[in-house]
Amino acid sequence: MEQRQGKELKEFNSIYRELDGIYHEIALHMGLSDSAFLILYAVAEFGEGFLQKDITAHFFVSKQTVHSAVGALEKKGLLELRRGKRREMHMYLTAAGRQFVEEKIAPVQDAENLVFTEMGEDESREFLRLGRKYTALLREKTGEKSI
């Protein structure tokens, strides 16, 4: 079979998998699935009261995955749903959920912010610019639409 990956793509894929693995290990150490970690991270990032569909759109995760993770977090007593307009269900942290986010999720976000601080403003902007460019070009080359 003909080799299709250039060395840059192999390295990029390795970096992507390593980064994904770091977040997976963080979630495991917290006793969470990757998707449950993502839900709590989203609450910490955007605040309480947003909808499951907002997480689906912002983090590119399926409705089923979000629904399942929200259910697991409800069972753990970390999250509760409150009815909004029509069938909308807004997510809120319980007291235990707020404590969990403060003790477990906030330090991860602090570490991420430190990474950008250590990279410096120029490298951070360049990193983000190139990430956006790669994503846009890949979307264009594969014919995928923006979610």
Side-chain angles (χ1 to χ4, degrees), residues 129-144:
R129 184 188 71 76
L130 291 171
R132 284 189 298 272
K133 182 176 182 175
Y134 180 88
T135 302
L137 287 170
L138 183 61
R139 194 174 299 286
E140 175 188 310
K141 302 301 181 211
T142 60
E144 291 297 316

Side-chain angles (χ1 to χ4, degrees), residues 20-86:
D20 192 50
I22 290 169
Y23 284 102
H24 176 71
E25 288 300 317
I26 289 169
L28 285 180
H29 287 293
M30 293 180 188
L32 299 172
S33 68
D34 294 357
S35 51
F37 171 81
L38 183 66
I39 301 296
L40 293 177
Y41 188 101
V43 171
E45 183 175 358
F46 296 112
E48 298 184 70
F50 58 93
L51 304 170
Q52 293 181 35
K53 70 178 182 179
D54 297 333
I55 292 176
T56 300
H58 185 76
F59 290 100
F60 305 98
V61 182
S62 74
K63 291 178 192 177
Q64 296 83 357
T65 298
V66 171
H67 182 75
S68 174
V70 166
L73 290 168
E74 282 183 295
K75 285 181 183 172
K76 284 185 176 232
L78 300 176
L79 195 70
E80 64 183 15
L81 295 175
R82 297 182 197 157
R83 186 166 298 284
K85 297 180 206 169
R86 296 182 221 126

Side-chain angles (χ1 to χ4, degrees), residues 2-19:
E2 181 183 333
Q3 183 178 351
R4 293 193 168 281
Q5 286 187 323
K7 67 179 182 176
E8 293 85 1
L9 181 57
K10 285 181 183 178
E11 185 173 359
F12 173 79
N13 286 338
S14 178
I15 292 167
Y16 176 82
R17 285 189 297 274
E18 182 178 1
L19 189 57

